Amino acid sequence: MADTIVDSKKQGGLLGKEDMKLLKDPLHSNNPLTIQVLGICSALAVTGSVSKSLVMAVALIFVCAASSLIISLLRNSIPSSIRMIVQLLVIAGLVQIVEIVLGAYAYTAYVELSVFIGLIITNCIVMGRLEAFAMGNNPKQAFLDGIGNGLGYGWILVAMAVVRELFGKGTFMGWVILPPDIYTANNLMVLPASSLFVIGIFIWIQRAVDPELVDKS
Amino acid sequence: MGEKKEMNVYVYVLMITSVTALILSLLYTSLDPIFQANKAEAKKAAILSCIPDSTLDLTNKDQVTAAYADVTMYAVNIAGDVYTDSEEDLAKINEMAINGAKKYGTLAELELANEEKKAEKDRVYPVYERNGTYVVAIRGNGLWDKIWGYIALEDDLNTIAGVYFDHKNETPGLGAEIKDNSAFKKQFIGKKIFEGNNVALTVLKRFKKGEHYVTGISGATITCDGVTAMFDKGMSKYETYFEQLKNKK
């Protein structure tokens, strides 16, 4: 996870080339789920239905981006001996905000996701980005990096959920796509274990399309 | 880092925790009323969900509100006394609220968890009635924490019309199946609760034929035993009231 510190002075415009790289890289060539294999735990748990994974993806993008921004703003003042505690406090606070807001404005999602909202705190992507990037880069870049990684996680999560929900229940966002008399739902796809197959296939496809990602060793 | 002098760790921690706590508490206090309203709405849907009604869409807020308008709610105690939502009856219930038990503003606020703080003879239990179907509330222990449910009874006050279960912290895929697995809940429909004066409904590990038996969930033995115990404890509280009702008919 070695990240080069980006020199913002070389860039022109609102989002320079380097900034776009921060946003784009996590979507494909440095994807937190399929390349770095972080955050697998929640990918197993919440990808059973598309609506659930969408809420989770949005929540993670928010937590990841906001915590990167806050930590980057504070980075010069945080005493180094307690930096991880401060990072955790910021993440936990933001997750709590997500939980309170969901409880008030998206109660069904709040009940469905239950413990998994709280478990965003332990999602290694968030803290990983804070340690590896936000602690050493300026707020704008850290924010973009947070958004990028959140999106990189989110799109794989939703894509997995589409596959699992379609074959597991024959539906998409609850709408029936494959009626039961044509397609008998495969219950295995609803179980968490199936997400391991699905993510394995995703990783395979990604590396087949782009052979540069294959680990040389 | 390092170009500035580092702040005292204790001061820093105190500052950052206070700021976080302040933000969170402000947000919580401002959004809690909406959250509570959502919870009340979900409770209505839960109660209605165990009454068989194929025309009702429980995800539709307006339909739930409209259907719940037909529900009359009152409370009974173990001796069979009935308490309605009148000020007089509420005063009687609140008078018994000791040991830190909460007082109610309306009967709809009644919670079994709160009643459990009172002495057994002082506790009141809710009854929800809709078109001749009676829904009662029960509460007990699962494997990790509390489990609870609503049971709808047909007008013989013995045959189950439908059930709703929920839990605080049961294991997803195992104990949590009492809530998530509709096949498990469907088994209860048509079963009889009482045999004579005893609660006979039992959740068993294996299939057993009979109007009192329900097949449990594999891997969730303790939660399923908890359901049996919850029925036994919870339904017996309503027995005197049910006897009175039957005699009236």
Side-chain angles (χ1 to χ4, degrees):
Chain A
M1 263 200 282
D3 288 288
T4 45
I5 295 172
V6 189
D7 188 356
S8 57
K9 280 175 191 153
K10 281 181 189 163
Q11 302 160 4
L14 188 64
L15 288 179
K17 219 176 167 188
E18 295 289 345
D19 288 342
M20 286 313 283
K21 199 167 139 45
L22 286 177
L23 272 178
K24 271 188 194 159
D25 272 3
L27 297 185
H28 176 63
S29 62
N30 198 17
N31 190 287
L33 264 177
T34 58
I35 305 293
Q36 299 173 20
V37 201
L38 292 174
I40 290 292
C41 201
S42 57
L44 302 187
V46 299
T47 52
S49 71
V50 178
S51 54
K52 239 181 178 179
S53 65
L54 267 176
V55 178
M56 187 67 177
V58 172
L60 194 103
I61 293 170
F62 168 74
V63 173
C64 210
S67 63
S68 288
L69 179 68
I70 295 170
I71 289 297
S72 177
L73 284 170
L74 297 176
R75 70 186 190 281
N76 291 328
S77 70
I78 302 174
S80 54
S81 56
I82 55 158
R83 71 172 197 288
M84 287 204 142
I85 299 170
V86 175
Q87 290 166 6
L88 258 185
L89 182 82
V90 170
I91 300 170
L94 287 166
V95 168
Q96 211 58 51
I97 290 176
V98 169
E99 198 162 353
I100 296 171
V101 170
L102 279 182
Y105 297 112
Y107 189 75
T108 345
Y110 168 83
V111 174
E112 264 193 353
L113 285 167
S114 58
V115 292
F116 296 111
I117 308 170
L119 284 179
I120 296 176
I121 300 170
T122 61
N123 193 318
C124 351
I125 297 171
V126 185
M127 200 148 170
R129 294 324 294 170
L130 296 186
E131 263 296 279
F133 199 88
M135 285 300 287
N137 287 281
N138 71 38
K140 183 182 162 196
Q141 288 159 352
F143 181 70
L144 290 173
D145 179 75
I147 297 233
N149 277 281
L151 281 173
Y153 167 88
W155 90 262
I156 298 282
L157 203 70
V158 174
M160 279 171 73
V162 169
V163 175
R164 284 183 64 192
E165 191 179 325
L166 184 65
F167 292 108
K169 294 179 196 151
T171 59
F172 173 74
M173 299 274 288
W175 295 307
V176 180
I177 304 285
L178 300 168
D181 36 329
I182 301 177
Y183 174 77
T184 313
N186 184 349
N187 271 333
L188 177 67
M189 295 301 282
V190 188
L191 297 176
S194 76
S195 35
L196 284 175
F197 306 131
V198 177
I199 198 164
I201 292 168
F202 274 30
I203 292 175
W204 183 13
I205 294 174
Q206 201 192 10
R207 281 160 173 74
V209 171
D210 190 351
E212 273 182 28
L213 298 175
V214 180
D215 206 339
K216 297 292 181 301
S217 60
Chain B
M1 282 182 289
E3 70 266 22
K4 283 178 197 160
K5 196 174 169 281
E6 280 188 356
M7 215 188 269
N8 182 308
V9 172
Y10 298 102
V11 176
Y12 195 86
V13 167
L14 194 69
M15 261 169 45
I16 196 156
T17 40
S18 332
V19 172
T20 317
L22 184 72
I23 294 173
L24 284 180
S25 48
L26 280 178
L27 191 70
Y28 181 80
T29 4
S30 55
L31 292 186
D32 194 50
I34 311 176
F35 178 63
Q36 294 304 334
N38 288 338
K39 252 172 100 176
E41 202 65 37
K43 188 178 171 185
K44 286 178 185 174
I47 292 164
L48 289 171
S49 78
C50 50
I51 304 173
D53 184 348
S54 55
T55 58
L56 185 65
D57 175 14
L58 288 168
T59 54
N60 184 323
K61 228 177 178 176
D62 298 329
Q63 282 198 33
V64 169
T65 316
Y68 200 80
D70 302 342
V71 175
T72 34
M73 187 214 173
Y74 48 90
V76 298
N77 67 5
I78 199 163
D81 304 326
V82 178
Y83 297 86
T84 61
D85 202 5
S86 67
E87 254 174 55
E88 197 186 328
D89 284 359
L90 272 172
K92 275 191 223 162
I93 295 174
N94 287 337
E95 209 174 285
M96 296 178 283
I98 43 159
N99 292 336
K102 202 172 65 188
K103 290 185 160 75
Y104 305 118
T106 66
L107 204 54
E109 292 168 18
L110 198 150
E111 272 172 34
L112 283 188
N114 188 47
E115 291 303 310
E116 280 169 7
K117 292 176 188 161
K118 302 178 184 173
E120 191 155 327
K121 64 171 180 41
D122 292 341
R123 294 178 194 169
V124 292
Y125 305 92
V127 179
Y128 307 87
E129 193 185 335
R130 185 181 185 233
N131 308 332
T133 311
Y134 296 85
V135 179
V136 298
I138 55 179
R139 187 177 149 91
N141 295 310
L143 172 60
W144 302 114
D145 211 319
K146 292 290 176 189
I147 54 175
W148 60 92
Y150 294 105
I151 314 298
L153 299 169
E154 288 175 13
D155 58 2
D156 67 348
L157 296 165
N158 191 8
T159 312
I160 297 177
V163 293
Y164 168 90
F165 295 123
D166 204 348
H167 59 90
K168 189 163 179 207
N169 206 10
E170 298 306 291
T171 320
L174 301 172
E177 292 287 291
I178 60 165
K179 181 188 183 191
D180 304 333
N181 190 334
S182 54
F184 173 70
K185 288 187 282 188
K186 260 188 204 142
Q187 284 187 80
F188 285 85
I189 298 172
K191 301 282 178 194
K192 306 265 194 270
I193 291 179
F194 298 102
E195 189 173 29
N197 286 326
N198 295 318
V199 179
L201 190 102
T202 314
V203 181
L204 293 168
K205 263 190 162 177
R206 291 191 178 77
F207 176 77
K208 187 172 173 188
K209 225 177 153 182
E211 57 186 6
H212 297 301
Y213 303 114
V214 170
T215 313
I217 296 156
S218 39
T221 310
I222 296 181
T223 310
C224 287
D225 287 350
V227 172
T228 306
M230 173 167 81
F231 263 95
D232 188 41
K233 196 181 93 184
M235 297 310 293
S236 60
K237 306 286 174 13
Y238 287 100
E239 225 177 322
T240 323
Y241 174 67
F242 286 169
E243 286 307 316
Q244 288 176 11
L245 259 189
K246 277 186 221 165
N247 292 338
K248 257 191 237 168
K249 279 183 182 168

